[in-house]
Amino acid sequence: MNGQMMHMPLLVSSLLVHAERHHPEQMVVSRRVEGDIHRETFAELAARSRRVANALKRLGVQMSDRVATLAWNGYRHMELYYGVSGSGAVLHTLNPRLHPDQVVWIADHAEDQVLFFDMSFLPIIEAIAGRVKSIKAFVAMTDRAHMPASSKVSNLLCYEDLLAQESDRYEWPEFDEQSACTLCYTSGTTGNPKGVLYSHRSTVLHAFGAALPDALNCSATDAVLPVVPMFHVNAWSLPYIACMVGAKLVFPGPGLDGKSLYELMEQEHVTVSAGVPTVWQGLLGYMEPQGLKFSTMKRTVIGGSACPPAMLKTFEQQYGVHVLHAWGMTEMSPLGTVMAFKPEHLRLSEEERLAVQAKQGRAVFGVDMKIVDAQGQELPRDGSVSGDLLVRGHWIIDTYFKQQDSSPLVKDGAGRGWFPTGDVAKITSDGVMQITDRSKDVIKSGGEWIGSIDLENIAMAHPAVAMAACIAAKHPKWDERPLLVVVKKPAAEVSREDILQFFEGKIAKWWTPDDVVFVESIPLGATGKMMKVKLREQFADYQLPTA
Ligand code: AMP
């Protein structure tokens, strides 16, 4: 017997309809590429998204066609989030930090039909124009007055002209909630990038889960500033969550330096922000020397790579900003876990609580996780054994785009599929997960694993260290030993010996790095993460003093 309740497909457009009907006055504030601050209400956002949907129809875009963006976080990008997906087409967010050849490969693979771009990315458009056969038109996300005079790009259209031609009347179509709504390619450090195709259902369910109090904890009284780009896993769902809960959205546009972010946070009374650790380093690096404080910021979500405990402590103790350490991946929409407290954590001392917060946290409902050994057998949740982390859930990938014949999943005894995350983790009996490494990054010394994240976290707590990466260097006896690569803070004086001494008492002696090298910079990938693959290549022939 079926239940007898209404069936309403979970569609992305329903979030916008809700926002317009119940929070029409709420604001989307954006720092524009043109340089000024732009404001629109949710009512205006909804009306302009409908114009986008009409414009796409005029451009010949049909259900399931891919429409690409190369854009910063801003209101026009937000209008495309809803206008494209809401009309049944698939929003494909391209990463502008990739090399133009990679952009061509990905756009080609996705068979993008139209590409919308922010003016900052005109050089990329000029480099790729004519190289992706499927693209019928390029649309500059600006008004007539700011349109570029590019002779290299044919079929160049103006966003504001397109919208001006259209009516803001449009009925969002109803279709199967399993239909694709957005497409995002993984950064892929090896091999070609892989497409992750989210459905309307997975996206709406993910927004429900991610908005919960023990997840990103967003409400109508919040002003949310996503630093995490809208081209990286849908800005961790914040553009959807804001419409769902009626929160104010503040978009930083291209201004991602510490000064621009700080000023925008203060001017717009931002209460919640989200981004990768490298961004927060820039913000704190701007605020600390000037003794600046936040007046409204309450929480910040840090994820994408491990949040260094030193950063966590600074946010909590010096700025009174609560850190929500979160873990996830492109294949997971992205949210998997958030370190939200349980009652017993509230009874811990401050230092003990900070140590818990440095872990990646508890599974959000909708995601199940377990750790397994090399044979796929589940390992105990005792907080000490670590194993390969597998996940399953409503917003976890089943197959990659255009790879329907090869499943990435591994089956359990009951035939259920689990996605192998490629992360190595421990889980405590009360469900707190801690990532110890990326499986490709673990250092195997004499057959035993050394977690590079632990070593990096210790090094990052040294006052002279701006950034640290730990990689495996070849060793004739132990096979691999840890090599610490360090970027010093400007004008800091520190020696190899100082750094090594700093590890004493903080870690098992045999985990101490065998050597420290100082470099000017550590290569960062397109989403701001340290590219250890590049470092491993750079130090492939490194001779450890202990070798
Ligand atoms: P991406 O799909 O590019 O977002 O990368 C996902 C990967 O980033 C995960 O599999 C982890 O290796 C890493 N990651 C994300 N969040 C965290 C975190 N809080 N701590 C440690 N690693 C993380």
mmCIF file of all heavy atoms in Angstrom, residues 471-498:
data_model
loop_
_atom_site.group_PDB
_atom_site.id
_atom_site.type_symbol
_atom_site.label_atom_id
_atom_site.label_comp_id
_atom_site.label_asym_id
_atom_site.label_seq_id
_atom_site.Cartn_x
_atom_site.Cartn_y
_atom_site.Cartn_z
ATOM 1 N N ILE A 471 55.604 15.210 2.096
ATOM 2 C CA ILE A 471 55.523 14.193 1.043
ATOM 3 C C ILE A 471 56.486 13.048 1.343
ATOM 4 O O ILE A 471 57.378 13.190 2.177
ATOM 5 C CB ILE A 471 55.862 14.791 -0.357
ATOM 6 C CG1 ILE A 471 57.227 15.495 -0.313
ATOM 7 C CG2 ILE A 471 54.770 15.726 -0.836
ATOM 8 C CD1 ILE A 471 57.763 15.840 -1.683
ATOM 9 N N ALA A 472 56.286 11.953 0.627
ATOM 10 C CA ALA A 472 57.166 10.804 0.807
ATOM 11 C C ALA A 472 58.417 10.999 -0.042
ATOM 12 O O ALA A 472 58.315 11.331 -1.225
ATOM 13 C CB ALA A 472 56.440 9.539 0.374
ATOM 14 N N ALA A 473 59.595 10.829 0.582
ATOM 15 C CA ALA A 473 60.837 10.831 -0.192
ATOM 16 C C ALA A 473 61.409 9.414 -0.125
ATOM 17 O O ALA A 473 61.225 8.710 0.869
ATOM 18 C CB ALA A 473 61.819 11.832 0.389
ATOM 19 N N LYS A 474 62.074 9.020 -1.195
ATOM 20 C CA LYS A 474 62.594 7.635 -1.252
ATOM 21 C C LYS A 474 63.668 7.409 -0.202
ATOM 22 O O LYS A 474 64.484 8.297 0.062
ATOM 23 C CB LYS A 474 63.189 7.375 -2.639
ATOM 24 C CG LYS A 474 62.139 7.201 -3.695
ATOM 25 C CD LYS A 474 62.758 6.555 -4.937
ATOM 26 C CE LYS A 474 61.893 6.827 -6.130
ATOM 27 N NZ LYS A 474 62.203 8.087 -6.809
ATOM 28 N N HIS A 475 63.648 6.227 0.386
ATOM 29 C CA HIS A 475 64.648 5.901 1.396
ATOM 30 C C HIS A 475 65.098 4.445 1.186
ATOM 31 O O HIS A 475 64.231 3.557 1.057
ATOM 32 C CB HIS A 475 64.050 6.066 2.796
ATOM 33 C CG HIS A 475 65.080 6.050 3.872
ATOM 34 N ND1 HIS A 475 65.641 4.891 4.331
ATOM 35 C CD2 HIS A 475 65.664 7.057 4.558
ATOM 36 C CE1 HIS A 475 66.529 5.185 5.272
ATOM 37 N NE2 HIS A 475 66.554 6.503 5.429
ATOM 38 N N PRO A 476 66.436 4.198 1.146
ATOM 39 C CA PRO A 476 66.893 2.841 0.836
ATOM 40 C C PRO A 476 66.477 1.807 1.879
ATOM 41 O O PRO A 476 66.212 0.656 1.550
ATOM 42 C CB PRO A 476 68.423 2.990 0.796
ATOM 43 C CG PRO A 476 68.726 4.274 1.492
ATOM 44 C CD PRO A 476 67.508 5.147 1.352
ATOM 45 N N LYS A 477 66.376 2.207 3.144
ATOM 46 C CA LYS A 477 66.037 1.234 4.178
ATOM 47 C C LYS A 477 64.537 1.168 4.431
ATOM 48 O O LYS A 477 63.962 0.095 4.504
ATOM 49 C CB LYS A 477 66.777 1.599 5.465
ATOM 50 C CG LYS A 477 66.470 0.668 6.600
ATOM 51 C CD LYS A 477 67.442 0.835 7.741
ATOM 52 C CE LYS A 477 67.041 -0.076 8.891
ATOM 53 N NZ LYS A 477 67.600 0.405 10.154
ATOM 54 N N TRP A 478 63.916 2.341 4.580
ATOM 55 C CA TRP A 478 62.508 2.386 4.997
ATOM 56 C C TRP A 478 61.535 2.487 3.820
ATOM 57 O O TRP A 478 60.352 2.611 4.027
ATOM 58 C CB TRP A 478 62.283 3.555 5.964
ATOM 59 C CG TRP A 478 63.146 3.487 7.181
ATOM 60 C CD1 TRP A 478 64.197 4.296 7.492
ATOM 61 C CD2 TRP A 478 63.044 2.522 8.237
ATOM 62 N NE1 TRP A 478 64.757 3.915 8.670
ATOM 63 C CE2 TRP A 478 64.073 2.824 9.163
ATOM 64 C CE3 TRP A 478 62.204 1.438 8.502
ATOM 65 C CZ2 TRP A 478 64.274 2.076 10.319
ATOM 66 C CZ3 TRP A 478 62.397 0.704 9.658
ATOM 67 C CH2 TRP A 478 63.432 1.025 10.555
ATOM 68 N N ASP A 479 62.081 2.505 2.624
ATOM 69 C CA ASP A 479 61.251 2.657 1.419
ATOM 70 C C ASP A 479 60.844 4.115 1.227
ATOM 71 O O ASP A 479 61.194 4.747 0.247
ATOM 72 C CB ASP A 479 60.015 1.745 1.494
ATOM 73 C CG ASP A 479 59.458 1.498 0.107
ATOM 74 O OD1 ASP A 479 60.226 1.716 -0.840
ATOM 75 O OD2 ASP A 479 58.289 1.102 0.001
ATOM 76 N N GLU A 480 60.091 4.647 2.199
ATOM 77 C CA GLU A 480 59.712 6.055 2.133
ATOM 78 C C GLU A 480 59.881 6.697 3.504
ATOM 79 O O GLU A 480 59.671 6.040 4.518
ATOM 80 C CB GLU A 480 58.239 6.208 1.716
ATOM 81 C CG GLU A 480 57.961 5.858 0.286
ATOM 82 C CD GLU A 480 56.474 5.961 -0.074
ATOM 83 O OE1 GLU A 480 55.624 6.225 0.804
ATOM 84 O OE2 GLU A 480 56.159 5.772 -1.256
ATOM 85 N N ARG A 481 60.279 7.966 3.500
ATOM 86 C CA ARG A 481 60.334 8.714 4.760
ATOM 87 C C ARG A 481 59.750 10.110 4.499
ATOM 88 O O ARG A 481 59.793 10.618 3.379
ATOM 89 C CB ARG A 481 61.793 8.853 5.255
ATOM 90 C CG ARG A 481 62.400 7.568 5.808
ATOM 91 C CD ARG A 481 61.764 7.097 7.099
ATOM 92 N NE ARG A 481 61.824 8.117 8.146
ATOM 93 C CZ ARG A 481 60.987 8.149 9.191
ATOM 94 N NH1 ARG A 481 60.035 7.247 9.326
ATOM 95 N NH2 ARG A 481 61.097 9.098 10.089
ATOM 96 N N PRO A 482 59.189 10.751 5.549
ATOM 97 C CA PRO A 482 58.584 12.069 5.346
ATOM 98 C C PRO A 482 59.600 13.189 5.093
ATOM 99 O O PRO A 482 60.594 13.289 5.807
ATOM 100 C CB PRO A 482 57.836 12.329 6.661
ATOM 101 C CG PRO A 482 58.160 11.222 7.588
ATOM 102 C CD PRO A 482 59.019 10.218 6.908
ATOM 103 N N LEU A 483 59.308 13.979 4.074
ATOM 104 C CA LEU A 483 60.087 15.182 3.769
ATOM 105 C C LEU A 483 59.127 16.359 3.901
ATOM 106 O O LEU A 483 58.054 16.358 3.285
ATOM 107 C CB LEU A 483 60.622 15.095 2.334
ATOM 108 C CG LEU A 483 61.222 16.386 1.761
ATOM 109 C CD1 LEU A 483 62.492 16.781 2.510
ATOM 110 C CD2 LEU A 483 61.540 16.210 0.270
ATOM 111 N N LEU A 484 59.511 17.329 4.704
ATOM 112 C CA LEU A 484 58.632 18.478 4.936
ATOM 113 C C LEU A 484 59.065 19.652 4.057
ATOM 114 O O LEU A 484 60.214 20.068 4.099
ATOM 115 C CB LEU A 484 58.684 18.868 6.418
ATOM 116 C CG LEU A 484 57.659 19.902 6.852
ATOM 117 C CD1 LEU A 484 56.258 19.309 6.887
ATOM 118 C CD2 LEU A 484 58.013 20.465 8.220
ATOM 119 N N VAL A 485 58.132 20.150 3.281
ATOM 120 C CA VAL A 485 58.401 21.286 2.397
ATOM 121 C C VAL A 485 57.698 22.504 3.002
ATOM 122 O O VAL A 485 56.485 22.453 3.276
ATOM 123 C CB VAL A 485 57.864 21.008 0.973
ATOM 124 C CG1 VAL A 485 58.225 22.151 0.038
ATOM 125 C CG2 VAL A 485 58.401 19.687 0.448
ATOM 126 N N VAL A 486 58.464 23.566 3.254
ATOM 127 C CA VAL A 486 57.929 24.697 4.035
ATOM 128 C C VAL A 486 58.062 26.018 3.282
ATOM 129 O O VAL A 486 59.098 26.306 2.685
ATOM 130 C CB VAL A 486 58.695 24.790 5.390
ATOM 131 C CG1 VAL A 486 58.404 26.095 6.113
ATOM 132 C CG2 VAL A 486 58.343 23.608 6.272
ATOM 133 N N VAL A 487 56.997 26.823 3.341
ATOM 134 C CA VAL A 487 57.079 28.222 2.907
ATOM 135 C C VAL A 487 57.084 29.048 4.186
ATOM 136 O O VAL A 487 56.184 28.917 5.016
ATOM 137 C CB VAL A 487 55.847 28.624 2.050
ATOM 138 C CG1 VAL A 487 55.945 30.069 1.605
ATOM 139 C CG2 VAL A 487 55.693 27.693 0.856
ATOM 140 N N LYS A 488 58.139 29.904 4.342
ATOM 141 C CA LYS A 488 58.224 30.722 5.560
ATOM 142 C C LYS A 488 57.298 31.923 5.450
ATOM 143 O O LYS A 488 57.008 32.388 4.354
ATOM 144 C CB LYS A 488 59.652 31.278 5.707
ATOM 145 C CG LYS A 488 60.679 30.274 6.096
ATOM 146 C CD LYS A 488 61.987 31.019 6.370
ATOM 147 C CE LYS A 488 63.162 30.222 5.846
ATOM 148 N NZ LYS A 488 64.437 30.877 5.938
ATOM 149 N N LYS A 489 56.880 32.457 6.624
ATOM 150 C CA LYS A 489 56.135 33.720 6.614
ATOM 151 C C LYS A 489 57.104 34.834 6.216
ATOM 152 O O LYS A 489 58.311 34.717 6.462
ATOM 153 C CB LYS A 489 55.583 34.002 8.015
ATOM 154 C CG LYS A 489 54.355 33.173 8.323
ATOM 155 C CD LYS A 489 53.605 33.712 9.524
ATOM 156 C CE LYS A 489 52.418 32.809 9.817
ATOM 157 N NZ LYS A 489 52.015 32.822 11.209
ATOM 158 N N PRO A 490 56.608 35.922 5.616
ATOM 159 C CA PRO A 490 57.509 36.990 5.183
ATOM 160 C C PRO A 490 58.373 37.465 6.356
ATOM 161 O O PRO A 490 57.865 37.664 7.448
ATOM 162 C CB PRO A 490 56.551 38.105 4.724
ATOM 163 C CG PRO A 490 55.220 37.451 4.524
ATOM 164 C CD PRO A 490 55.193 36.214 5.343
ATOM 165 N N ALA A 491 59.656 37.601 6.091
ATOM 166 C CA ALA A 491 60.636 38.113 7.057
ATOM 167 C C ALA A 491 60.877 37.187 8.248
ATOM 168 O O ALA A 491 61.574 37.550 9.187
ATOM 169 C CB ALA A 491 60.236 39.506 7.554
ATOM 170 N N ALA A 492 60.305 35.986 8.246
ATOM 171 C CA ALA A 492 60.519 35.082 9.387
ATOM 172 C C ALA A 492 61.902 34.432 9.283
ATOM 173 O O ALA A 492 62.359 34.110 8.196
ATOM 174 C CB ALA A 492 59.440 34.014 9.406
ATOM 175 N N GLU A 493 62.533 34.272 10.450
ATOM 176 C CA GLU A 493 63.834 33.606 10.523
ATOM 177 C C GLU A 493 63.604 32.254 11.187
ATOM 178 O O GLU A 493 63.166 32.202 12.325
ATOM 179 C CB GLU A 493 64.805 34.424 11.388
ATOM 180 C CG GLU A 493 65.330 35.687 10.722
ATOM 181 C CD GLU A 493 66.242 35.391 9.531
ATOM 182 O OE1 GLU A 493 66.870 34.309 9.536
ATOM 183 O OE2 GLU A 493 66.270 36.227 8.602
ATOM 184 N N VAL A 494 63.880 31.186 10.465
ATOM 185 C CA VAL A 494 63.709 29.868 11.083
ATOM 186 C C VAL A 494 64.619 28.878 10.361
ATOM 187 O O VAL A 494 64.835 29.003 9.154
ATOM 188 C CB VAL A 494 62.222 29.428 11.040
ATOM 189 C CG1 VAL A 494 61.757 29.171 9.627
ATOM 190 C CG2 VAL A 494 61.966 28.201 11.903
ATOM 191 N N SER A 495 65.172 27.943 11.153
ATOM 192 C CA SER A 495 66.082 26.973 10.524
ATOM 193 C C SER A 495 65.405 25.604 10.452
ATOM 194 O O SER A 495 64.380 25.365 11.110
ATOM 195 C CB SER A 495 67.358 26.858 11.364
ATOM 196 O OG SER A 495 67.034 26.255 12.594
ATOM 197 N N ARG A 496 66.040 24.735 9.692
ATOM 198 C CA ARG A 496 65.597 23.342 9.586
ATOM 199 C C ARG A 496 65.514 22.720 10.987
ATOM 200 O O ARG A 496 64.541 22.048 11.330
ATOM 201 C CB ARG A 496 66.636 22.618 8.714
ATOM 202 C CG ARG A 496 66.564 21.138 8.689
ATOM 203 C CD ARG A 496 67.777 20.572 7.935
ATOM 204 N NE ARG A 496 67.679 19.119 7.861
ATOM 205 C CZ ARG A 496 68.072 18.296 8.818
ATOM 206 N NH1 ARG A 496 68.607 18.769 9.935
ATOM 207 N NH2 ARG A 496 67.940 16.982 8.668
ATOM 208 N N GLU A 497 66.570 22.984 11.802
ATOM 209 C CA GLU A 497 66.630 22.382 13.139
ATOM 210 C C GLU A 497 65.489 22.892 14.025
ATOM 211 O O GLU A 497 64.897 22.126 14.790
ATOM 212 C CB GLU A 497 67.985 22.683 13.816
ATOM 213 C CG GLU A 497 69.152 21.886 13.245
ATOM 214 C CD GLU A 497 69.498 22.247 11.797
ATOM 215 O OE1 GLU A 497 69.297 23.436 11.421
ATOM 216 O OE2 GLU A 497 69.925 21.352 11.036
ATOM 217 N N ASP A 498 65.186 24.211 13.915
ATOM 218 C CA ASP A 498 64.077 24.756 14.720
ATOM 219 C C ASP A 498 62.789 24.004 14.422
ATOM 220 O O ASP A 498 62.020 23.667 15.314
ATOM 221 C CB ASP A 498 63.809 26.241 14.366
ATOM 222 C CG ASP A 498 64.979 27.133 14.715
ATOM 223 O OD1 ASP A 498 65.750 26.746 15.606
ATOM 224 O OD2 ASP A 498 65.113 28.209 14.079
#
